[in-house]
Amino acid sequence: MRAEKVEAPARHASDAFVVRTRTPAQTRAGGGPGQLLNSKRFARAYVGAGWEVFQPVKMLRVVSWNINGIRRPLQGAANQEPSNCAAVAVGRILDQLDADIVCLQETKVTRDALTEPLAIVEGYNSYFSFSRNRSGYSGVATFCKDNATPVAAEEGLSGLFATQNGDVGCYGNMDEFTQEELRALDSEGRALLTQHKIRTWEGKEKTLTLINVYCPHADPGRPERLVFKMRFYRLLQIRAEALLAAGSHVIILGDLNTAHRPIDHWDAVNLECFEEDPGRKWMDSLLSNLGCQSASHVGPFIDSYRCFQPKQEGAFTCWSAVTGARHLNYGSRLDYVLGDRTLVIDTFQASFLLPEVMGSDHCPVGAVLSVSSVPAKQCPPLCTRFLPEFAGTQLKILHFLVPLEQSPVLEQSTLQHDNQTRVQTCQNKAQVRSTRPRPSQVGSSRGQKNLKSYFQPSPSCPQASPDIELPSLPLMSALMTPKTPEEKAVAKVVKGQAKTSEAKDEKELRTSFWKSVLAGPLRTPLCGGHREPCVMRTVKKPGPNLGRRFYMCARPRGPPTDPSSRCNFFLWSRPS
């Protein structure tokens, strides 16, 4: 049994020491070999207490992050300098995470859209898995520092995309899957394996395989995606257990898209059948519950964060960006670093979350191991620097065009053919110009008459035919022509009053028309809970209300008991 740690482990390798041997007195007092010390001051204290030997150890730091798109500038890094280049931001974020191995999920990039500055960062060697079905969807990537270069790398879990050169291997029994199902599970670019050589504090070399995964999301409106998710889980477990059986240590890290325990989800008490979720049951079978002595809770892997922080509440890694839930920490823990039991108990020194790192709807998670990496002499073939488009071996399209040697007679005939073609083209253009109607011929007038010509009458109103002439309004005046001077005077007065009334009506009509056009948007309603202006949203879920707009409280989503969180106000927007 390993002794308790004196203090949180050092972040940098040069600050860490480990106990090698001890005296019988210290054996009775507690502690033991493998105890990690994070400063020279603690090391001297142990020497003064009778410890015989301690040795400097290098630390291995791994970090995982659902980056939600590697091509867009990362907000947490790109705003620090005027340049918002995504490639510069990726290099800066890798430096900020300060890890030997960085695993990214949801890169949303396909191979044709991957640029060299994104794929090749100085000081790192990178490996990508792309979605083969959709562009800008899914995808994972692993960046390894040069001092942690893997000995093997492989895309996918099934082995169908293996190149038989530099692959990880160890696939297990996959007879329960068809070839079509395996190809479908790996075609979304959700898994990437890198295998490393590590050296323990005892000087022993072992193999460590990292499985970088972005597990599928189960959409409630698409039952087939839940089946897809569970089959992916099953394939992941078969591959991980096969690697363990082959003698390799295994770490599964990434976005598992399942909150395991009620403590890992803010609103678990209000979710129906939370414990009965198939994804949570799968995690129960995969993981060991260190606080339970029942044999049914002893799985091959350990949730490293809960190993160090078993009762920490509010430890979330994902929040809704649409509702602003991160502001009030209204989220769930979907990102994990899972290690096999022996590896976690013997070498894991810390497991952490980094909620202060912005730029995605997820935050990074990671772990520190008291082992050192033994870098491979050269990168595996899957490394992106070996891709033809980045290795300088891509041929230009001109190399595929061979000049044709022509005889003088052939050249002359070709020239004559070109001339004839040019003359025929000019004649065709002239014929087209001569047959094209002129503006004066079609009766079109240049310029805009007035703005009202753009406003068409309602289709419900009957339209008069342009060939029918409607009679003028003063029809009776043509039938009753005044004869006496008195009648003429009266008719003149009536005509003047009619003109005045007609002009007044026309003015009022124009005024009401422009008031209706220039009235502007409707007033934003106030929410019922806070009496504050609402925000307008649009329904994006498929169904009868798709595209409809509605008003809701503008505050971020949070716990219902928190008065500063969003209230339940809802109001459909009237159609414009």
Side-chain angles (χ1 to χ4, degrees):
M1 179 66 67
R2 189 179 53 171
E4 287 189 10
K5 291 174 285 297
V6 176
E7 190 175 298
R11 181 170 181 174
H12 299 285
S14 59
D15 297 330
F17 294 82
V18 67
V19 175
R20 294 284 290 185
T21 60
R22 58 181 177 173
T23 63
Q26 273 72 45
T27 303
R28 292 188 296 271
Q35 172 67 54
L36 189 76
L37 311 178
N38 73 326
S39 70
K40 293 181 179 179
R41 178 171 60 87
F42 282 98
R44 294 193 190 98
Y46 269 69
V47 171
W51 294 96
E52 293 184 356
V53 179
F54 53 89
Q55 177 185 8
V57 199
K58 291 184 178 180
M59 307 287 285
L60 181 67
R61 178 180 168 94
V62 296
V63 171
S64 170
W65 191 17
N66 182 321
I67 202 171
N68 194 19
I70 195 174
R71 284 180 292 178
R72 66 184 183 87
L74 304 176
Q75 299 173 4
N79 293 337
Q80 296 178 5
E81 294 183 6
S83 172
N84 61 352
C85 175
V88 175
V90 170
R92 189 180 299 116
I93 217 65
L94 291 175
D95 293 339
Q96 179 183 354
L97 296 176
D98 191 24
D100 300 288
I101 303 172
V102 177
C103 297
L104 305 178
Q105 300 87 43
E106 206 171 357
T107 56
K108 296 182 179 180
V109 63
T110 48
R111 179 170 173 177
D112 61 315
L114 184 66
T115 60
E116 185 172 349
L118 284 177
I120 302 177
V121 180
E122 185 178 359
Y124 294 84
N125 48 90
S126 63
Y127 309 85
F128 279 76
S129 178
F130 310 101
S131 172
R132 288 162 168 79
N133 300 329
R134 293 170 55 184
S135 178
Y137 174 75
S138 189
V140 294
T142 300
F143 286 80
C144 304
K145 279 188 177 180
D146 291 339
N147 62 351
T149 300
V151 297
E154 183 180 331
E155 182 182 4
L157 297 171
S158 65
L160 293 181
F161 298 149
T163 61
Q164 306 300 324
N165 184 16
D167 296 326
V168 175
C170 303
Y171 303 102
N173 186 0
M174 300 181 182
D175 292 342
E176 61 186 271
F177 297 90
T178 64
Q179 291 294 307
E180 293 75 13
E181 190 176 12
L182 290 175
R183 187 168 295 277
L185 290 171
D186 271 346
S187 292
E188 294 188 357
R190 295 185 175 274
L192 187 66
L193 285 73
T194 56
Q195 195 166 75
H196 307 258
K197 289 293 184 181
I198 58 173
R199 182 178 290 113
T200 65
W201 63 272
E202 298 171 320
K204 297 180 180 179
E205 286 194 7
K206 295 185 178 181
T207 302
L208 171 63
T209 304
L210 270 69
I211 306 180
N212 178 7
V213 290
Y214 173 45
C215 296
H217 168 68
D219 189 347
R222 300 174 60 191
E224 70 277 6
R225 290 303 291 179
L226 176 59
V227 177
F228 186 88
K229 176 178 181 178
M230 297 311 300
R231 297 300 282 169
F232 185 88
Y233 277 160
R234 176 60 181 158
L235 182 60
L236 172 61
Q237 184 171 359
I238 291 176
R239 185 69 188 273
E241 291 178 350
L243 288 164
L244 285 176
S248 173
H249 287 299
V250 178
I251 293 179
I252 302 174
L253 70 170
D255 181 0
L256 297 188
N257 251 319
T258 296
H260 185 206
R261 298 293 186 192
I263 195 176
D264 299 321
H265 196 290
W266 183 265
D267 203 25
V269 293
N270 295 323
L271 295 180
E272 186 178 357
C273 302
F274 182 87
E275 299 286 352
E276 300 302 318
D277 179 78
R280 297 184 179 94
K281 287 188 173 182
W282 173 79
M283 293 190 71
D284 287 340
S285 65
L286 183 73
L287 300 178
S288 290
N289 188 346
L290 297 181
C292 181
Q293 301 299 325
S294 174
S296 61
H297 288 78
V298 180
F301 288 89
I302 291 177
D303 180 354
S304 64
Y305 184 78
R306 287 303 173 201
C307 178
F308 288 89
Q309 304 289 343
K311 298 181 180 180
Q312 179 64 50
E313 297 182 353
F316 305 136
T317 66
C318 180
W319 307 265
S320 172
V322 176
T323 61
R326 190 168 188 169
H327 180 70
L328 297 175
N329 195 26
Y330 189 80
S332 57
R333 190 168 72 99
L334 305 181
D335 304 85
Y336 299 83
V337 179
L338 312 179
D340 66 81
R341 288 176 55 87
T342 304
L343 185 71
V344 172
I345 294 175
D346 290 346
T347 67
F348 270 59
Q349 299 300 321
S351 186
F352 53 85
L353 315 179
L354 298 176
E356 69 277 5
V357 177
M358 309 298 290
S360 172
D361 55 345
H362 292 247
C363 78
V365 301
V368 178
L369 289 72
S370 60
V371 297
S372 59
S373 176
V374 181
K377 295 182 179 179
Q378 62 180 10
C379 298
L382 190 64
C383 183
T384 50
R385 69 178 59 173
F386 296 144
L387 295 178
E389 55 266 37
F390 303 142
T393 58
Q394 182 179 9
L395 297 178
K396 295 183 178 180
I397 194 171
L398 292 177
H399 291 139
F400 295 92
L401 304 178
V402 181
L404 182 62
E405 296 182 0
Q406 299 178 344
S407 62
V409 177
L410 183 60
E411 291 179 0
Q412 184 176 1
S413 62
T414 304
L415 182 60
Q416 291 177 358
H417 177 72
D418 293 342
N419 292 335
Q420 292 175 2
T421 304
R422 191 177 299 108
V423 171
Q424 184 67 29
T425 302
C426 294
Q427 292 176 356
N428 292 340
K429 288 184 178 179
Q431 185 177 0
V432 171
R433 284 197 297 268
S434 63
T435 58
R436 187 178 299 163
R438 296 181 179 179
S440 59
Q441 295 174 348
V442 297
S444 62
S445 60
R446 297 187 179 183
Q448 176 181 323
K449 289 184 178 181
N450 52 48
L451 189 59
K452 291 178 64 177
S453 63
Y454 288 92
F455 297 92
Q456 301 296 333
S458 173
S460 61
C461 299
Q463 300 294 324
S465 173
D467 299 331
I468 301 177
E469 295 184 1
L470 298 178
S472 59
L473 289 177
L475 182 61
M476 298 301 296
S477 62
L479 301 177
M480 300 178 61
T481 305
K483 298 178 180 180
T484 62
E486 291 80 5
E487 292 176 349
K488 291 181 179 180
V490 172
K492 187 175 182 180
V493 172
V494 171
K495 187 176 181 180
Q497 291 177 352
K499 287 183 177 181
T500 304
S501 177
E502 183 179 355
K504 184 177 180 181
D505 292 341
E506 184 178 357
K507 183 178 180 181
E508 291 179 354
L509 182 62
R510 285 200 303 266
T511 302
S512 62
F513 169 76
W514 288 114
K515 280 184 177 180
S516 64
V517 173
L518 304 176
L522 298 176
R523 198 171 187 180
T524 303
L526 304 180
C527 67
H530 310 98
R531 306 304 301 170
E532 296 174 352
C534 293
V535 63
M536 179 179 286
R537 303 290 188 192
T538 304
V539 178
K540 297 182 179 180
K541 184 178 181 180
N545 293 323
L546 179 64
R548 289 190 64 182
R549 296 185 175 183
F550 60 93
Y551 292 99
M552 62 184 300
C553 180
R555 292 201 177 191
R557 186 180 179 185
T561 57
D562 190 345
S564 63
S565 64
R566 186 178 67 188
C567 64
N568 295 325
F569 180 82
F570 179 89
L571 178 66
W572 287 112
S573 173
R574 289 187 298 174
S576 56

